[in-house]
């Protein structure tokens, strides 16, 4: 079992930055790939970024490529999402998830999910 708790969301102006964190419980964090997904109002949950269990492989959605960076610290059982140059269309609830060892894009490859943290980009 892995429990995930996201933090770092909030209100930010367009062009601003936020760093999301996801803290995992348990001693098997390094056994899982980690991903970030988001869900905007009245839209389906969509893939944002993923990182393999050792951090050597990352995947990004085209919509955020070059603006967001995923990273992890296995010693701290934490995965991060650095979000720069934020746009209003980035507004969503952001979820972290733990799954298979590589860096999957599809949500079906993830076994554990956090409760989400709200990110609002607005002036």
């Amino acid at each position: 079992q892995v429990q995930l708790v996201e933090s770092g969301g909030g209100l930010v102006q367009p062009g601003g930055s936020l760093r999301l964190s996801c803290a995992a419980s348990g001693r098997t964090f390094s056994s899982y790939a980690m991903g970030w997904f988001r869900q905007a109002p009245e839209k389906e949950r969509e893939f944002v970024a993923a990182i393999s269990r050792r951090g050597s492989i990352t995947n990004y959605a085209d919509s955020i490529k070059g603006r967001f960076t995923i990273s992890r610290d296995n010693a701290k059982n934490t995965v991060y999402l650095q979000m720069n140059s934020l746009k209003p269309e980035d507004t969503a609830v952001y979820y972290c998830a733990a799954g298979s060892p590589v860096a999957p894009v599809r949500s079906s490859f993830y076994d554990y999910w956090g409760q989400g943290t709200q990110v609002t980009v607005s002036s």
Side-chain angles (χ1 to χ4, degrees):
Q1 282 280 0
V2 177
Q3 292 185 327
L4 304 172
V5 179
E6 302 96 335
S7 62
L11 173 64
V12 63
Q13 292 186 341
S17 298
L18 281 176
R19 188 176 82 156
L20 305 183
S21 299
C22 174
S25 65
R27 293 177 288 181
T28 59
F29 176 74
S30 60
S31 299
Y32 294 94
M34 298 298 296
W36 286 97
F37 290 76
R38 68 185 182 185
Q39 187 167 17
E42 301 182 355
K43 292 188 177 181
E44 293 187 354
R45 188 174 298 186
E46 65 175 0
F47 169 76
V48 175
I51 188 167
S52 59
R53 55 185 175 176
R54 295 183 179 181
S56 58
I57 300 171
T58 56
N59 283 323
Y60 293 96
D62 288 342
S63 60
I64 58 86
K65 200 172 291 185
R67 300 188 296 123
F68 292 9
T69 303
I70 189 170
S71 62
R72 67 188 296 162
D73 186 336
N74 286 347
K76 296 182 178 179
N77 283 10
T78 302
V79 62
Y80 305 97
L81 185 68
Q82 177 67 44
M83 305 186 295
N84 299 328
S85 302
L86 282 161
K87 305 175 181 180
E89 52 263 43
D90 295 318
T91 295
V93 177
Y94 284 71
Y95 300 89
C96 71
S100 62
V102 193
V105 173
R106 294 178 62 179
S107 60
S108 58
F109 285 96
Y110 291 88
D111 302 310
Y112 303 100
W113 293 82
Q115 294 300 307
T117 185
Q118 176 71 46
V119 172
T120 302
V121 185
S122 175
S123 55

